[in-house]
Amino acid sequence: EIVLTQSPGTLSLSPGEGATLSCRASQSVLSNYLAWYQQKPGQPPRFLIYGVSTRAAGVPDRFSGSGSGTDFTLTISRLEPEDCAVYYCQQYGGSPLTFGQGTKVEIK
Amino acid sequence: QLQLQESGPGLVKPSETLSLACTVSGGAISSDSYFWAWIRQPPGKGLEWTGSIHYSGRTYYNPSLKSRVTISVDTSEKQISLKVSSVTAADTAVYYCARLRRFHGDYGYFDNWGRGALVTVSS
């Protein structure tokens, strides 16, 4: 099983700042099959990115993904108040499908 | 627009079987491009993939739950069902139904989610 570890646990930033969220895998993720999701309180997760860096339809371009192998990053440039949420990474290179434990982004 | 709606009892007694249904509307359930999945989230915690099913009936389960979980599909009713047997308090969670976009064999990412159903295990 591939364990995904996200850091930091919580990020507290001001509007307009940039956020860097890390997702580290316990072993190399096959062909960079990694996705990111955003979850706001009381809502289901929202699909953001697949294949490390391809944004889903309708996702603002201030969200970008990068990385390879075992180290992946979600970057949110120019934070807006509505970006306040928990962000999860997920690997789909093999079974079982696994998620990271999440990074909470707070807006000051 | 695809919609997924979970339904079922919100309270289950310990040792009994949790049963949920997911109704798919606004899209095809019988597409080779997708699986249908259940993902759960204990209160205040992260996401755990429970299992996935193809419209043909092909299934995959998380080994952590495999012996207790059954997922089935009824294409005529456009429903996906989840059963978890011998539940304990640890099975208390919001259970989400989601569409899995196949990208690597029968694996992929979850591109559409239902709103979720909270199931509490308590006597």
Side-chain angles (χ1 to χ4, degrees), chain A residues 1 30 33 35 37 39 42-47 49-51 88 90-101, chain B residues 39 41 45-49 52 60-63 96 100-101 103-104 106-116:
Chain A
E1 172 176 331
L30 181 66
Y33 291 136
Y37 303 85
Q39 186 177 32
Q43 295 186 20
R46 172 195 178 193
F47 170 53
I49 284 173
Y50 68 97
Y88 294 95
Q90 176 239 330
Q91 67 80 24
Y92 49 100
S95 186
L97 305 176
T98 52
F99 293 87
Q101 83 280 18
Chain B
I39 297 145
Q41 184 172 38
K45 296 188 178 180
L47 301 163
E48 179 183 40
W49 170 69
S52 305
Y60 294 91
Y61 298 122
N62 191 322
Y96 294 103
L100 183 154
R101 175 70 166 90
F103 203 87
H104 162 58
D106 291 344
Y107 309 135
Y109 49 83
F110 306 102
D111 66 354
N112 275 275
W113 298 66
R115 295 206 60 81

Side-chain angles (χ1 to χ4, degrees), chain A residues 54-79:
Chain A
T54 303
R55 281 187 299 276
V59 174
D61 61 7
R62 64 177 185 277
F63 291 89
S64 63
S66 62
S68 64
T70 60
D71 290 298
F72 303 92
T73 299
L74 175 69
T75 302
I76 313 171
S77 61
R78 308 180 308 278
L79 274 168

Side-chain angles (χ1 to χ4, degrees), chain A:
Chain A
E1 172 176 331
I2 297 178
V3 176
L4 300 177
T5 302
Q6 293 186 242
S7 62
T10 302
L11 265 179
S12 186
L13 296 165
S14 299
E17 289 191 300
T20 302
L21 287 66
S22 173
C23 174
R24 179 162 291 178
S26 60
Q27 56 188 278
S28 185
V29 175
L30 181 66
S31 298
N32 295 328
Y33 291 136
L34 189 107
W36 289 92
Y37 303 85
Q38 173 195 66
Q39 186 177 32
K40 297 181 180 180
Q43 295 186 20
R46 172 195 178 193
F47 170 53
L48 291 179
I49 284 173
Y50 68 97
V52 175
S53 61
T54 303
R55 281 187 299 276
V59 174
D61 61 7
R62 64 177 185 277
F63 291 89
S64 63
S66 62
S68 64
T70 60
D71 290 298
F72 303 92
T73 299
L74 175 69
T75 302
I76 313 171
S77 61
R78 308 180 308 278
L79 274 168
E80 297 192 5
E82 61 261 33
D83 298 334
C84 178
V86 178
Y87 293 82
Y88 294 95
C89 56
Q90 176 239 330
Q91 67 80 24
Y92 49 100
S95 186
L97 305 176
T98 52
F99 293 87
Q101 83 280 18
T103 290
K104 184 176 183 179
V105 174
E106 297 178 338
I107 310 296
K108 292 178 185 176

